[in-house]
Amino acid sequence: MNLSYTIRRYFLISVKSNIRFVTNSVNLLDVRGKIPENPVNTLKDVSDITPYFPESFNLSAYINTSQSLQNLVHLNVNLSKIEKKPHIVNKILKLDLVNDIQKHILFLKDYIHVDNIGPFITKNPLILCEAIEDLEVRVNYLQSKHFNQDDIKRILSRNPFWLMFSTLRIDKRLGFFQQKFSLSGNEIRQLATKQPKIITYNLHHVNTNSFVIKEEMGFDDNEIKFLILDKPKLWMLNQKSLLQRFNYLHNVMKIQHSTILRHSNVLLYRNFLIKQRHMFLEKLGRAQYNPNKENYVPITALYEDTDVEFCRNYGKCHVDDFNIFLKTL
Amino acid sequence: MVQIRNAAAAYRSLNGLICVYKPSCVSVRHVQHIIVTNLCRDLNALPDRPLEKRVEIVGPTNAPMQVKLLPNYADDPRVCGPRYIDKDFRCSWASHLGLFSSGVLLLGINDGTNLTYLLNTARPTRAFKVHGQLGKATDTYFWNGRTMERATFGHVTRAKVDRVVAHMQAAHQKTMYELSGLHMDSQTTYDLASEGLLRPANSKLPVIYGIKCVHFEPPNFTLEIQSVNEYEKYLWSLVHDLGVQLKTVAHCTGVQCIRLGKFGLDLSLLRKHWQMEHILHNMDQCQQIIEQNENLIKPKSAHLTV
């Protein structure tokens, strides 16, 4: 089969349409049934004639004839996830194997571990459509801001969308975080390395969560600075559930701000997990979170470890008792 | 427990009823979604069948052509998507529980959806624990509503609650006969009524067969209610009515379904156990209960089955 021809055909095809092509099977049978009358015809090489490629709504229809798609699969790219967005597929299909895809992958190889290149492209296939020069400029920008090589590697592999942002936007965003939380140069680098996703996150969302943490929860500026460097994930949570978690910890369980600050992991767990363990301890009369009194239960007990270990260490009972308790809620 | 060999065998055995414990503030639809996605996740993690091969005939057509057996890329889960997706599962509930109710919920998976339909038309009774609080009335009759009225409740005693509750139960006896679909003056009705309680013929109106106050510690109290066709809001309003009849006000603080027909709390799966192994085990247990009690699915008389 003529590969270049099929690929060229294949690039022209729009995957958006989901019309299926139906061949007229009756006609085909008629042709097959007859013995060819002219033996000269059979001597002609017709292998360069390929069957008509019908339009398809997924990529698996084309993969067996497309070398570039096969190569992407060998890289461990999940095409089934990419094809959910037809506008991206249309762009990806028009790429050239040697010129575009190979160059980009060779570029990415320097910053991302080989095993992670597939998942990286799955998450952000449009990186293959960006110009290599732009990507180099964006990496150079990070170097100019004194991020060391390991940091850059971590940033790029943890946030596949970082390279899609122009240096101007990244600069603005880094400035925004630095100003908003009054961070020093080292601290902003620490934040960007620790949680690169927050830099490219929706800034409106970050603003509303800052409001929740400052005004509604009542942490002061220094505590907020500590929190964003310790748990940047808090700024990426749904503000409603974040407030609900804090409300339960502070107003129902009567846990002080300072304790929450020390164990800020507690805010990352879903409310029902904390709630059911706390209610169980309360039922047993063991909900005592003050380290200065006897029978102290650390707040980490509410989210760490499995239920079995929690019951053994802090509930002093069997896990079945805990399960029976859960069926009374 | 059944040893699961591969995904296809596991999928074939996923037909039947399961009994789960629905937490409050999680809707029934969400429970269905969680269970189906968990099943897909667990099935996709199981050993998959080998990839299909593809025959390709290549070479010039006027010379002997080559037949090649090549791997079929289109069959790879990375290309055609995961083997099991949400749409592969049908899931339906036997009887609905409101958003704020918790407790026993029966779900039918794949062929089990048929069973949930039969179970629903057989109208098994449900037992509820309804928690209430005296002294405050809200606009929704539930704790999350706006406070409409406050009243004292010092005069309410256990005996008074029992009396009002017994009166409410008696008032529902008449509805039971009206909803059974029988003619009130006939001999058949008399014969049936002399033998026991009757099932309602349709699902239009709630019927209460028993109310009992099981816990009383003012201002909190708990009622245990056995009923058919009830719904969340109805149970809330029942608590509200109780308050009014006790010459005070009350609102509901929680509704928990503790039994549906023969399916009790001990059978129900907790949220942390909504995984394939546990679901398969639970399905077997539910199947046994259905086989032991044929009346649960196909009741032969108009009497209350469970």
Side-chain angles (χ1 to χ4, degrees):
Chain A
M1 209 172 282
N2 190 336
L3 201 67
S4 66
Y5 172 74
T6 53
I7 290 174
R8 223 182 313 120
R9 272 304 304 265
Y10 158 82
F11 284 153
L12 295 173
I13 292 159
S14 148
V15 189
K16 228 173 192 172
S17 157
N18 56 1
I19 305 162
R20 291 192 210 196
F21 185 77
V22 183
T23 47
N24 195 338
S25 53
V26 183
N27 280 348
L28 276 174
L29 278 177
D30 284 351
V31 174
R32 276 187 202 145
K34 280 180 199 164
I35 300 157
E37 289 166 9
N38 191 355
V40 180
N41 264 353
T42 57
L43 291 176
K44 205 172 136 193
D45 184 9
V46 290
S47 63
D48 56 336
I49 301 172
T50 55
Y52 175 69
F53 258 135
E55 288 190 7
S56 170
F57 54 90
N58 60 12
L59 287 173
S60 54
Y62 309 127
I63 186 136
N64 281 321
T65 43
S66 162
Q67 191 63 45
S68 56
L69 284 182
Q70 284 176 13
N71 281 340
L72 284 179
V73 170
H74 289 155
L75 270 173
N76 215 0
V77 176
N78 196 334
L79 294 179
S80 69
K81 280 192 180 156
I82 295 178
E83 78 190 11
K84 296 221 170 83
K85 290 170 191 149
H87 62 282
I88 292 181
V89 176
N90 277 339
K91 281 183 183 166
I92 297 297
L93 291 183
K94 283 167 194 155
L95 294 175
D96 187 32
L97 175 63
V98 182
N99 288 335
D100 298 324
I101 297 179
Q102 259 181 17
K103 267 187 194 167
H104 281 83
I105 287 166
L106 286 174
F107 175 80
L108 289 176
K109 190 173 68 68
D110 294 343
Y111 301 102
I112 293 149
H113 192 261
V114 183
D115 295 341
N116 293 335
I117 287 185
F120 183 94
I121 297 176
T122 308
K123 287 229 175 70
N124 183 15
L126 284 181
I127 192 92
L128 301 177
C129 304
E130 292 283 304
I132 284 281
E133 296 77 37
D134 286 352
L135 300 184
E136 272 163 0
V137 167
R138 285 163 202 177
V139 171
N140 286 341
Y141 169 77
L142 284 177
Q143 278 160 353
S144 75
K145 291 289 170 188
H146 306 295
F147 282 91
N148 62 36
Q149 195 65 15
D150 287 341
D151 287 353
I152 295 174
K153 275 182 186 171
R154 186 184 152 89
I155 287 172
L156 299 189
S157 50
R158 294 294 286 271
N159 184 0
F161 294 98
W162 184 287
L163 285 178
M164 301 300 283
F165 284 69
S166 67
T167 49
L168 205 68
R169 284 183 77 191
I170 288 284
D171 192 55
K172 261 187 194 169
R173 276 159 185 266
L174 287 175
F176 167 83
F177 279 96
Q178 194 163 16
Q179 206 178 25
K180 176 121 193 147
F181 302 102
S182 51
L183 303 173
S184 68
N186 272 332
E187 281 164 345
I188 187 75
R189 274 189 286 275
Q190 192 192 331
L191 173 68
T193 326
K194 185 164 180 142
Q195 185 55 276
K197 276 178 199 156
I198 199 173
I199 305 293
T200 56
Y201 211 69
N202 183 353
L203 289 185
H204 178 67
H205 194 280
V206 173
N207 270 329
T208 45
N209 273 25
S210 294
F211 180 81
V212 168
I213 290 168
K214 189 173 183 188
E215 308 292 337
E216 295 188 294
M217 293 189 186
F219 284 104
D220 69 30
D221 285 340
N222 277 331
E223 290 169 335
I224 290 175
K225 191 171 165 179
F226 175 79
L227 266 183
I228 194 152
L229 292 174
D230 191 33
K231 291 280 167 297
K233 187 92 196 285
L234 290 177
W235 271 260
M236 292 150 75
L237 297 175
N238 181 318
Q239 63 250 31
K240 208 174 150 190
S241 63
L242 183 62
L243 190 63
Q244 197 188 22
R245 288 167 197 188
F246 178 81
N247 197 27
Y248 191 81
L249 284 167
H250 187 66
N251 296 333
V252 180
M253 289 166 61
K254 304 288 177 203
I255 289 171
Q256 298 302 311
H257 281 87
S258 55
T259 321
I260 295 177
L261 214 58
R262 227 177 303 127
H263 307 283
S264 43
N265 254 344
V266 77
L267 287 170
L268 294 177
Y269 287 82
R270 282 174 291 173
N271 194 26
F272 80 91
L273 292 168
I274 305 281
K275 198 173 173 180
Q276 62 194 26
R277 285 194 180 184
H278 168 69
M279 285 171 95
F280 184 59
L281 288 178
E282 209 170 37
K283 194 97 179 172
L284 294 174
R286 289 182 183 277
Q288 205 285 97
Y289 305 112
N290 187 350
N292 298 327
K293 292 183 186 163
E294 67 235 31
N295 288 333
Y296 164 63
V297 173
I299 199 163
T300 48
L302 295 173
Y303 54 87
E304 272 177 356
D305 294 337
T306 58
D307 283 347
V308 180
E309 281 162 3
F310 163 72
C311 287
R312 196 178 52 222
N313 297 339
Y314 301 105
K316 314 284 182 200
C317 63
H318 196 256
V319 71
D320 286 347
D321 299 332
F322 182 52
N323 289 348
I324 291 168
F325 169 76
L326 289 181
K327 288 182 187 176
T328 63
L329 292 179
Chain B
M1 199 174 280
V2 195
Q3 191 67 39
I4 306 157
R5 277 171 292 122
N6 58 28
Y11 178 73
R12 273 196 299 277
S13 58
L14 276 170
N15 288 310
L17 275 183
I18 57 167
C19 177
V20 297
Y21 188 86
K22 175 189 161 315
S24 63
C25 298
V26 178
S27 67
V28 177
R29 277 189 193 283
H30 195 200
V31 172
Q32 283 181 320
H33 177 75
I34 297 174
I35 290 204
V36 168
T37 43
N38 282 5
L39 282 176
C40 292
R41 181 198 63 199
D42 293 346
L43 280 175
N44 288 325
L46 283 176
D48 195 12
R49 63 180 164 80
L51 287 187
E52 280 174 9
K53 294 277 181 191
R54 199 171 63 94
V55 177
E56 200 170 280
I57 304 167
V58 287
T61 51
N62 51 3
M65 293 168 79
Q66 277 183 309
V67 179
K68 280 185 184 169
L69 198 63
L70 297 165
N72 189 0
Y73 282 96
D75 192 42
D76 196 306
R78 284 173 295 187
V79 180
C80 65
R83 291 275 183 258
Y84 297 93
I85 55 170
D86 287 17
K87 281 177 190 166
D88 292 328
F89 287 97
R90 283 170 293 143
C91 188
S92 65
W93 59 78
S95 53
H96 193 263
L97 277 178
L99 177 62
F100 296 105
S101 310
S102 59
V104 177
L105 176 73
L106 282 185
L107 292 175
I109 290 174
N110 283 348
D111 291 351
T113 48
N114 198 18
L115 285 175
T116 56
Y117 171 73
L118 290 172
L119 204 69
N120 196 18
T121 47
R123 301 191 210 301
T125 54
R126 286 203 282 180
F128 284 91
K129 267 191 180 167
V130 180
H131 305 279
Q133 195 179 45
L134 294 168
K136 190 174 107 170
T138 59
D139 55 348
T140 55
Y141 309 139
F142 199 58
W143 61 264
N144 60 2
R146 210 152 49 87
T147 309
M148 301 308 280
E149 200 180 339
R150 282 183 187 280
T152 55
F153 51 86
H155 58 280
V156 180
T157 58
R158 178 77 188 240
K160 280 182 183 168
V161 174
D162 285 342
R163 200 164 61 210
V164 172
V165 156
H167 181 74
M168 284 174 130
Q169 184 182 334
H172 267 270
Q173 295 268 315
K174 203 183 168 201
T175 4
M176 179 182 81
Y177 292 117
E178 279 167 2
L179 292 176
S180 64
L182 295 158
H183 195 266
M184 286 295 274
D185 299 334
S186 66
Q187 179 66 28
T188 334
T189 316
Y190 177 77
D191 291 341
L192 282 166
S194 63
E195 280 172 29
L197 298 166
L198 300 179
R199 281 187 299 136
N202 57 30
S203 58
K204 294 282 183 302
L205 283 173
V207 189
I208 289 175
Y209 291 95
I211 314 186
K212 206 166 66 176
C213 180
V214 289
H215 169 82
F216 186 74
E217 196 180 272
N220 299 313
F221 61 95
T222 306
L223 302 176
E224 200 172 293
I225 300 177
Q226 288 88 33
S227 56
V228 174
N229 290 346
E230 76 301 306
Y231 43 93
E232 195 177 47
K233 198 112 199 217
Y234 180 76
L235 295 172
W236 297 353
S237 64
L238 213 63
V239 173
H240 181 79
D241 289 349
L242 179 75
V244 171
Q245 289 187 34
L246 285 168
K247 301 204 166 52
T248 175
V249 287
H251 70 278
C252 182
T253 50
V255 176
Q256 190 202 2
C257 177
I258 53 170
R259 181 178 60 79
L260 191 154
K262 289 274 181 187
F263 302 92
L265 270 182
D266 49 337
L267 196 67
S268 57
L269 279 182
L270 284 169
R271 170 148 40 167
K272 60 181 174 181
H273 295 141
W274 294 349
Q275 292 151 3
M276 199 172 63
E277 290 174 56
H278 291 102
I279 287 175
L280 279 171
H281 181 61
N282 192 266
M283 214 172 249
D284 285 346
Q285 287 179 318
C286 288
Q287 188 60 35
Q288 276 173 14
I289 287 182
I290 288 170
E291 279 165 9
Q292 282 160 12
N293 307 282
E294 280 185 11
N295 262 350
L296 216 55
I297 298 293
K298 286 175 185 156
K300 292 187 183 70
S301 73
H303 284 114
L304 205 62
T305 46
V306 186

